[in-house]
Amino acid sequence: MDENSTICAVSTPQGAGGISVIRISGENAIDIAAKIFIPFGGKRVEDMQGHTCAYGAVISNGERIDDAVLTVFRAPKSYTGENTAELSCHGGIYLTRRVLRACIENGARPAEAGEFTKRAFLNGKMSLTQAESVMELISASGENALRSANCVREGKLFGQIKAACDTLVGLLADLAAWNDYPDEDIPSVETENMKKSLGSIKKQLDDILKNYDRGRIFRSGVDTAIIGKPNVGKSTLMNMLLGYKRSIVTDTAGTTRDVIEESCELGGVLLRLSDTAGIRTSDNEIESIGVELAQDKLESCELAIAVFDSSQPLDGGDRDILKSLEGKNAVVVLNKTDLPQTVTEADFPQFERIARISAKQGKGLAELENAIIGALGLQTYEPQSAMFANERQKDCALGAVKYISAASEALESGETLDAVTVMLDMAADRLLELTGEKATEAVVEQVFSRFCVGK
Ligand code: GDP
């Protein structure tokens, strides 16, 4: 593919809608726009300044196919850093395709997945981590995911990694200077300083890495199983969480026969909920399939919400449930607190996170939210702090930490400067790969292939 050609794509989702945006980027973008768009009032597209728009007619093969708004950006002041024209036309599926075809007939070529953002990266408009955050932004499923994506996009992560990298490069320069005088030992005070610097870079990276797993919860959500005996109020709780009726609520035990999956946002976290058939042995064939599914679900979930009827004494079935929770990250829910109570928190000494609710009356949501946030270890989570957005970034940081540790050990055990230099060189390489300053073409390709066309 010609990297320099002018590209075009529909940047809004496929489907009929109010508006569709067709984006053209590259040297000839504005000339191509001039061939298919005539502003009303006698203005010329070629004369339009950057960051201005015009209302006019879209022309294809001499035919006026739509009225639209054209926005012009002139290089380098655009998303991609190139000349860019954006046509906001009416959002018909066929109409949008016609406009796109007109762009192609006039010299643009269809953009590849992520090519606009890739050009932005290649033209120095953003770092690789910022480009990746664009994708996080688009796929953010909740408030915290959005905040953390924006934090990366604003360059916080890049700034911190860059600072760590600069320190490493400074140390490498010192090492190179000493290497030029092989007969002289490094003064011990310098070794101490170097160890201190390495220690603080390592701590900084470790802190960002720690945030990663918590951030992942915000980005991808948490597989959550609602479990409990039949009739304790699981479906009612699910409906309370979802805010609408999804699974059938009845008074007959064992009516929720299969696993029902839905998502809801609680405390900024996306919970992927499955309301399972009550876990208990059953002779009824259909119900036992449900029970099996429930057990599978419990094994694979990241969080279990175990519901108990607090108006009934705990029985063998409840104890089976408690047993199945061993080793699981679980929240205990005492439901039906609107009825006279027979069960209290004291009956669950081994559980730290207990919420008292009345699912039927929709009460106790805040308490449940606290318990869930606590169980997921998110009380102290700071979505504004720097965080890695994906496995690629995390792997680069882990690699850097590994080499920094090796360099510290080499310093400690008095190994040659060469050994320390090699380790620090590798650590710096990993950090430069993280920010994209030294990423191979293959890495860049891989990052942008995850985007969709039009981004
Ligand atoms: P599941 O089998 O665990 O899914 O339980 P359901 O959600 O189907 O609820 C069983 C019965 O308990 C229904 O009659 C609900 O209306 C009732 N129920 C659920 N939650 C509460 C509650 O908080 N208080 C009271 N009094 N009844 C409830």
Side-chain angles (χ1 to χ4, degrees):
M1 274 296 163
D2 178 7
E3 297 280 328
N4 298 319
S5 53
T6 298
I7 53 172
C8 63
V10 181
S11 284
T12 37
Q14 288 291 325
I19 294 175
S20 276
V21 176
I22 292 105
R23 179 147 64 171
I24 318 169
S25 179
E27 202 179 336
N28 300 324
I30 296 166
D31 297 337
I32 292 171
K35 289 185 187 151
I36 60 170
F37 181 85
I38 303 174
F40 297 136
K43 234 197 298 180
R44 278 163 38 94
V45 171
E46 291 90 332
D47 300 334
M48 284 173 69
Q49 307 226 319
H51 292 94
T52 61
C53 51
Y55 181 47
V58 182
I59 309 292
S60 167
N61 298 327
E63 189 189 344
R64 176 171 170 179
I65 55 172
D66 195 15
D67 291 351
V69 173
L70 172 73
T71 314
V72 163
F73 304 87
R74 291 198 178 263
K77 291 188 174 172
S78 71
Y79 180 75
T80 56
E82 307 170 327
N83 280 344
T84 302
E86 284 181 6
L87 267 168
S88 305
C89 61
H90 290 104
I93 299 176
Y94 179 71
L95 171 64
T96 308
R97 250 183 240 152
R98 272 292 295 273
V99 179
L100 188 67
R101 206 170 68 199
C103 297
I104 295 167
E105 283 166 356
N106 284 285
R109 74 156 167 80
E112 290 168 44
E115 201 171 0
F116 291 98
T117 310
K118 182 176 166 187
R119 287 183 173 204
F121 163 67
L122 293 175
N123 291 328
K125 296 297 282 191
M126 57 176 81
S127 67
L128 199 57
T129 51
Q130 282 172 315
E132 285 171 311
S133 74
V134 171
M135 187 135 98
E136 301 301 322
L137 203 63
I138 292 167
S139 57
S141 56
E143 200 50 41
N144 283 308
L146 182 64
R147 260 187 225 139
S148 80
N150 266 322
C151 166
V152 179
R153 197 172 58 88
E154 285 157 11
K156 198 158 188 172
L157 179 68
F158 179 76
Q160 287 196 11
I161 300 297
K162 181 127 184 50
C165 207
D166 287 347
T167 312
L168 282 183
V169 171
L171 293 177
L172 280 165
D174 291 346
L175 284 167
W178 285 314
N179 253 340
D180 291 342
Y181 302 98
D183 293 339
E184 294 175 32
D185 282 339
I186 312 180
S188 63
V189 49
E190 294 297 344
T191 319
E192 282 313 308
N193 282 345
M194 199 175 282
K195 275 195 236 162
K196 237 187 244 162
S197 297
L198 290 180
S200 85
I201 300 176
K202 184 173 172 300
K203 178 169 182 317
Q204 198 185 356
L205 292 175
D206 279 340
D207 285 348
I208 309 177
L209 280 165
K210 251 188 247 153
N211 232 358
Y212 178 76
D213 285 330
R214 295 191 282 178
R216 190 189 56 77
I217 291 177
F218 283 120
R219 281 190 302 277
S220 350
V222 183
D223 271 325
T224 310
I226 302 182
I227 63 160
K229 281 187 324 180
N231 258 353
V232 291
K234 296 180 300 296
S235 310
T236 314
L237 168 63
M238 179 113 162
N239 290 336
M240 165 170 141
L241 289 173
L242 295 174
Y244 66 95
K245 296 209 163 164
R246 173 66 171 83
S247 53
I248 316 144
V249 182
T250 65
D251 282 327
T252 328
T255 44
T256 315
R257 309 220 179 218
D258 50 5
V259 179
I260 291 171
E261 306 214 358
E262 288 280 3
S263 297
C264 76
E265 198 194 320
L266 198 65
V269 183
L270 184 81
L271 300 181
R272 279 192 303 279
L273 298 168
S274 36
D275 169 15
T276 62
I279 293 189
R280 54 162 207 175
T281 29
S282 161
D283 295 334
N284 178 313
E285 208 184 320
I286 305 173
E287 198 180 304
S288 24
I289 295 170
V291 170
E292 256 172 50
L293 280 174
Q295 263 150 358
D296 283 354
K297 198 68 215 167
L298 184 60
E299 265 162 42
S300 66
C301 74
E302 296 162 272
L303 176 73
I305 299 180
V307 186
F308 299 89
D309 181 344
S310 61
S311 71
Q312 302 288 329
L314 295 182
D315 65 10
D318 291 311
R319 276 184 277 279
D320 285 347
I321 302 272
L322 285 173
K323 207 149 169 245
S324 69
L325 291 176
E326 273 169 23
K328 288 252 63 147
N329 195 6
V331 167
V332 165
V333 167
L334 303 183
N335 188 32
K336 308 199 187 182
T337 52
D338 53 296
L339 299 176
Q341 299 289 282
T342 58
V343 173
T344 69
E345 284 89 336
D347 294 302
F348 302 87
Q350 67 277 50
F351 288 91
E352 214 183 310
R353 315 280 172 197
I354 303 177
R356 297 169 55 78
I357 70 163
S358 165
K360 195 171 182 176
Q361 299 184 339
K363 286 193 180 143
L365 198 59
E367 202 172 320
L368 179 58
E369 182 177 314
N370 278 341
I372 289 174
I373 294 293
L376 296 173
L378 301 174
Q379 310 93 312
T380 54
Y381 175 76
E382 244 309 326
Q384 261 92 349
S385 55
M387 182 192 332
F388 299 122
N390 52 37
E391 291 290 321
R392 183 196 75 80
Q393 296 177 357
K394 181 185 155 191
D395 284 349
C396 288
L398 279 175
V401 167
K402 190 179 86 186
Y403 290 124
I404 290 170
S405 304
S408 300
E409 277 163 32
L411 272 177
E412 199 73 52
S413 58
E415 278 186 44
T416 63
L417 289 186
D418 282 346
V420 181
T421 307
V422 167
M423 296 302 168
L424 291 189
D425 237 345
M426 310 250 260
D429 270 359
R430 299 299 280 158
L431 294 185
L432 289 169
E433 183 181 337
L434 200 167
T435 57
E437 287 164 283
K438 210 172 167 180
T440 61
E441 207 167 301
V443 167
V444 173
E445 287 303 321
Q446 204 193 1
V447 165
F448 291 101
S449 65
R450 291 167 58 221
F451 279 60
C452 30
V453 172
K455 302 290 171 316

